[in-house]
Amino acid sequence: MFDNLFNKNKEESEKVEEKEELQEEKKGFLGRLKEGLEKTRKGITDKVDDIIKHYHKIDEELFEELEEVLIMADVGFETTETIIENVKDKVKERKLTEATDVKDVLKEELKERLEDVEGDSKLNIEPSPSIILVVGVNGVGKTTTIGKLAYKFKNNGKKVLIAAGDTFRAAAIEQLNEWTNRSNVDLISHKEGSDPAAVIFDGIQAAKARKTDILICDTAGRLHNKKNLMNELNKIVRIVNREYPDATKEILLVVDATTGQNAVMQAKVFKEACNVTGIALTKLDGTAKGGVIFAVQSELNVPIKLVGVGEGINDLQEFDRDNFVNAIFPD
């Protein structure tokens, strides 16, 4: 009887500790997100607050100033127009008259902008085996994104393999090798200048032989040589479909938030070349123009799946619409 009571109390205590750990972890993620988005918060929310202070009633001039803030934060002209028009409609429908009410409506509309896309915001890695093709121009953080993903998946008990398909960029293979050592995962690579598609082919064969859960493939990103790059990507996609037909597939486009509207243009080019299924937006901590996330998702109709808000291993986070907007517009 006493043993049963002891075991029951122990189980309840463990559940409480587990719940507290999860809450602490969540708090940690939210804290890092808020910290990483500090520049964007100052670039949008602080300016919105300053504008609203100067208005008692809602009028057209107020909306014009809000529109300017969003455009300056790289939300994009078309996306900004849509957001402001929708805010106007909601204000009218709800018969709001106080300028202070506009901020909550704007926050609500921004959340809806991030929700109104096709596809799941979670990485498509189930069921195993799965393959993630990581695409994007050089310098956006592809290698770091791959390394952090490998580390995360490995810590979650997944068997991970990386294929170093960016064979043209100097030190790309070495950088990936450092991450594989850190994450304790294997790397499939050829010598510099080799055919990227051949590396991916070998990676797939190794993944099948080793019963790997997740194969992450780096790809070349020389956008200045657009035609050749697109041909390489098409060739890789064909090999994946032929050699790994039953694998769960994700084509993850990495874009750099600090490049603003260039990120949108890059994303459009890659979407033309391959069926991009998700976007990782990196370096959000380095810009006050994080509003580009709304432009990227809205204009491409591709879900944001990951956001990078710092250099730390845990600063690449799964994208959560509510957490993101709440970090920019804290209550």
Side-chain angles (χ1 to χ4, degrees):
M1 175 178 163
F2 288 110
D3 286 344
N4 290 338
L5 183 62
F6 174 78
N7 289 333
K8 185 178 179 182
N9 289 337
K10 185 180 179 183
E11 287 176 8
E12 289 177 354
S13 177
E14 287 174 349
K15 286 180 181 178
V16 169
E17 287 179 9
E18 185 177 343
K19 187 177 180 181
E20 288 176 349
E21 284 177 8
L22 288 171
Q23 288 175 338
E24 189 63 33
E25 182 179 341
K26 186 177 180 182
K27 182 181 177 182
F29 274 117
L30 290 173
R32 284 193 291 273
L33 183 63
K34 287 180 180 178
E35 186 178 330
L37 293 174
E38 183 179 358
K39 290 183 179 179
T40 294
R41 185 164 58 252
K42 289 179 178 178
I44 298 179
T45 308
D46 289 1
K47 291 180 180 178
V48 168
D49 288 339
D50 286 342
I51 290 169
I52 289 174
K53 284 177 188 175
H54 292 90
Y55 288 85
H56 296 294
K57 300 297 180 182
I58 299 171
D59 60 25
E60 191 62 31
E61 194 173 331
L62 168 61
F63 288 120
E64 287 177 2
E65 290 203 44
L66 292 176
E67 186 174 48
E68 185 177 339
V69 168
L70 296 182
I71 290 173
M72 292 300 292
D74 268 337
V75 173
F77 184 75
E78 290 182 13
T79 306
T80 295
E81 277 198 328
T82 301
I83 289 170
I84 295 298
E85 286 303 315
N86 288 347
V87 170
K88 285 181 182 179
D89 290 342
K90 288 176 181 177
V91 165
K92 187 176 180 180
E93 287 170 10
R94 298 170 191 178
K95 298 179 180 178
L96 303 176
T97 57
E98 299 297 320
T100 51
D101 294 327
V102 174
K103 182 177 176 180
D104 288 336
V105 180
L106 177 60
K107 182 176 178 179
E108 176 188 323
E109 178 60 27
L110 290 174
K111 285 184 179 181
E112 289 179 8
R113 285 297 92 203
L114 293 176
E115 183 182 43
D116 191 23
V117 293
E118 296 176 2
D120 192 350
S121 63
K122 301 293 183 185
L123 281 174
N124 192 25
I125 57 170
E126 298 292 348
S128 296
S130 66
I131 180 169
I132 303 174
L133 288 182
V134 183
V135 303
V137 301
N138 290 338
V140 295
K142 280 192 291 114
T143 305
T144 304
T145 297
I146 290 169
K148 290 180 178 180
L149 278 176
Y151 184 88
K152 176 184 175 181
F153 292 145
K154 178 73 174 182
N155 282 351
N156 288 339
K158 299 290 187 181
K159 190 172 183 181
V160 183
L161 184 65
I162 297 176
D166 188 356
T167 60
F168 299 109
R169 184 171 69 85
I173 299 171
E174 288 81 357
Q175 287 175 342
L176 274 180
N177 194 44
E178 288 178 12
W179 275 106
T180 57
N181 290 335
R182 185 175 180 181
S183 307
N184 194 27
V185 302
D186 291 334
L187 177 70
I188 302 297
S189 64
H190 291 187
K191 65 181 181 180
E192 190 175 320
S194 301
D195 179 7
V199 180
I200 306 305
F201 177 89
D202 285 353
I204 291 171
Q205 306 314 314
K208 289 192 285 189
R210 303 177 193 184
K211 301 190 183 305
T212 298
D213 293 312
I214 304 170
L215 171 64
I216 309 175
C217 302
D218 192 10
T219 62
R222 302 167 301 162
L223 193 57
H224 63 278
N225 198 353
K226 179 181 170 183
K227 185 177 179 182
N228 287 347
L229 173 59
M230 298 304 124
N231 287 340
E232 285 169 8
L233 286 177
N234 283 324
K235 184 178 178 182
I236 287 171
V237 170
R238 288 196 303 272
I239 286 173
V240 170
N241 290 334
R242 186 187 73 212
E243 299 296 327
Y244 224 9
D246 297 328
T248 303
K249 299 174 182 66
E250 178 85 71
I251 300 181
L252 185 68
L253 171 65
V254 181
V255 289
D256 179 349
T258 65
T259 62
Q261 290 302 302
N262 280 338
V264 180
M265 290 186 283
Q266 289 170 14
K268 287 179 178 178
V269 170
F270 277 94
K271 191 180 179 187
E272 288 174 12
C274 51
N275 183 29
V276 174
T277 56
I279 294 170
L281 192 61
T282 63
K283 308 180 187 179
L284 275 164
D285 57 309
T287 179
K289 298 186 175 185
V292 70
I293 195 169
F294 300 96
V296 168
Q297 184 155 302
S298 179
E299 293 186 33
L300 271 77
N301 197 28
V302 175
I304 304 287
K305 299 199 173 185
L306 298 166
V307 289
V309 291
E311 295 181 1
I313 195 80
N314 291 315
D315 289 331
L316 179 69
Q317 299 187 13
E318 292 181 358
F319 177 66
D320 181 281
R321 175 200 65 164
D322 291 335
N323 287 343
F324 186 87
V325 177
N326 288 338
I328 299 176
F329 282 89
D331 295 326

